[in-house]
Amino acid sequence: MKTLMGYIAGLIFGLGLTISGMTDPARVLGFLDIAGAWDPTLMFVLGGAVVTNFIGYRLVLRRPHPFFGERFQLPTRQDLDIRLISGASLFGIGWGLSGYCPGPAFASISGLSAPLFAMLVTMVMGWFLALAITPKTA
């Protein structure tokens, strides 16, 4: 049931990205072009996501446990380290250069283009490179 709920959540996420137009990299690049033809749509989509998440977490965490799990699995770390900052920076640079975030990239896979294919291939290569150079922790 937990896996099914994960698939349903992913489907809802992908549909939301598609309906809002956020699978179009031109929207992301337009949002980043503050000196040119700035497109504020991404800000409204992100704002809607933040408000929904803020309210949703408060409602869900009132429950003693999730519907399909024994306990909530929330992050406990609150520090910022070089791995987090460098990873977030690389993510942002890749997003800004390609116009694709991983979620919208996978949601756009039905309309596969050469730039999207290049982004997906290099993203997967980055995952494997990160696994190879990251020290193993227990």
Side-chain angles (χ1 to χ4, degrees):
M1 188 56 89
K2 184 177 173 181
T3 303
L4 176 63
M5 291 299 112
Y7 283 119
I8 291 171
L11 178 65
I12 292 170
F13 178 71
L15 286 172
L17 288 173
T18 304
I19 291 168
S20 66
M22 291 300 112
T23 57
D24 180 6
R27 293 246 185 193
V28 175
L29 296 174
F31 176 74
L32 296 173
D33 186 11
I34 56 174
W38 186 62
D39 181 359
T41 352
L42 180 60
M43 183 171 49
F44 293 109
V45 172
L46 290 173
V50 167
V51 169
T52 303
N53 194 35
F54 181 82
I55 294 168
Y57 258 82
R58 266 112 199 110
L59 294 174
V60 167
L61 292 179
R62 289 182 181 169
R63 298 186 44 78
H65 58 82
F67 285 121
F68 303 108
E70 295 179 18
R71 62 182 174 83
F72 290 105
Q73 298 177 10
L74 300 172
T76 56
R77 288 186 60 176
Q78 295 184 357
D79 60 320
L80 300 176
D81 63 3
I82 191 67
R83 289 177 52 207
L84 176 64
I85 293 169
S86 61
S89 299
L90 286 171
F91 176 88
I93 290 168
W95 189 6
L97 288 173
S98 70
Y100 283 111
C101 179
F106 283 112
S108 302
I109 208 157
S110 64
L112 189 63
S113 63
L116 175 58
F117 179 74
M119 180 272 174
L120 290 170
V121 168
T122 53
M123 181 177 69
V124 171
M125 289 171 46
W127 283 338
F128 285 112
L129 178 62
L131 286 172
I133 64 174
T134 303
K136 305 295 183 244
T137 58

